[in-house]
Amino acid sequence: MTWFERAEAAERLGDWDTALALVSARAGCYVDADAHGNHLWHMDLLAAAGRFTELTELAHTDVHARRRLNRALQERGTDSALRGRAAAGDRGALYALLRLLCTTDRAPEAARAVRELAPDDAYALRLLTDLRSPSDGPA
């Protein structure tokens, strides 16, 4: 069995330590296509394992960790963590927060977040407009 097959099997079983050890040993951001793919898989494994402390630490310097962390927080409905990251300047976290709030029928909260955190962010404003339904009322 190859390392890849062992890593996939460990992932299916939820054996995160094994899967992470196998994948991270072959991961490298922008090294080559295979290493980069393994790097992205490594980020996915950290999120699946719920290792948000590690993912958060990597997110300080790794754009892929930052994106995966924000997506995981959105998927888990963790609006307070996204808001905190957005308030600290992470625009990706802001956009994930807006998606979360709008898709869970909290458009007024999303509009308030834009006003408080990034009133001049054109993408946030457009995202807010695109995600809101006409019945949500004005921004």
Side-chain angles (χ1 to χ4, degrees), residues 81-103:
L82 285 169
R83 184 177 248 288
R85 293 183 57 74
D90 183 343
R91 289 296 190 229
L94 174 64
Y95 307 147
L97 175 64
L98 297 179
R99 286 184 196 94
L100 171 62
L101 293 174
C102 288
T103 58

Side-chain angles (χ1 to χ4, degrees), residues 29-30 36 39-40 42-44 46-47 51-73 85 90:
C29 191
Y30 302 119
H36 189 69
H39 175 68
L40 298 176
H42 180 224
M43 299 303 110
D44 287 343
L46 287 171
R51 296 189 180 181
F52 295 108
T53 302
E54 290 173 62
L55 208 46
T56 300
E57 192 59 38
L58 289 169
H60 291 293
T61 57
D62 186 323
V63 66
H64 303 106
R66 190 168 41 256
R67 289 175 185 157
R68 189 59 186 97
L69 174 61
N70 290 337
R71 190 168 82 235
L73 294 172
R85 293 183 57 74
D90 183 343

